[in-house]
Amino acid sequence: ATLFLLPVVFKFPKAVMAELIEGTSGHTNYAPLSHGQTMSMGRHLQDQLRMLQQALADLGKGLGETNEAVADLKKNAGGANATISNLQEGLASTNTIAETLKNDYGRTKANVAKLQAGLEGTNGAVAGLIDGQKVNDTLMKKLQGEISDQADKQHE
């Protein structure tokens, strides 16, 4: 009968494993590790490598997502820049129209002032004509009365 010896695997707690790797466990530096200790340390280091690789993969994925988000932002910023440019052109056009309207208003105001002055002069002239008409009406009535009196005298 063949006797098979199963290797005894001794699992070190993580804190002890870290001390072994750092060299602060109190073991003598010249004492070799057992096969089980060496295998346990290898598994521990392999686990750490896998965690680092996973963290690196997660970082790469996050970087890719960030790059996509930045590309989207750049694309949206380009659209916003075009919109801003259109708004600036519209504002310049509106400013030109407003300046034209301001100039037109100034000319119209001056023309209205001339018209008002002319209207005041016309009002004065009309008032003079009305007064003259009243005088003429009075004279006409007087003349009609005199003519009537003359006609009566001639018929008598």
Side-chain angles (χ1 to χ4, degrees), residues 5-23:
L5 294 175
L6 295 174
V8 176
V9 178
F10 180 75
K11 291 220 173 204
F12 287 103
K14 290 195 184 230
V16 174
M17 187 59 63
E19 290 175 355
L20 277 173
I21 293 171
E22 290 175 1

Side-chain angles (χ1 to χ4, degrees), residues 6 9 17-18 60 63 66 69 72 78 82 85 98 110 121 127 144 150 153-154:
L6 295 174
V9 178
M17 187 59 63
L63 178 61
T66 301
D72 287 344
S85 177
Q144 281 177 344
Q150 284 281 345
K153 284 184 187 177
Q154 283 187 7

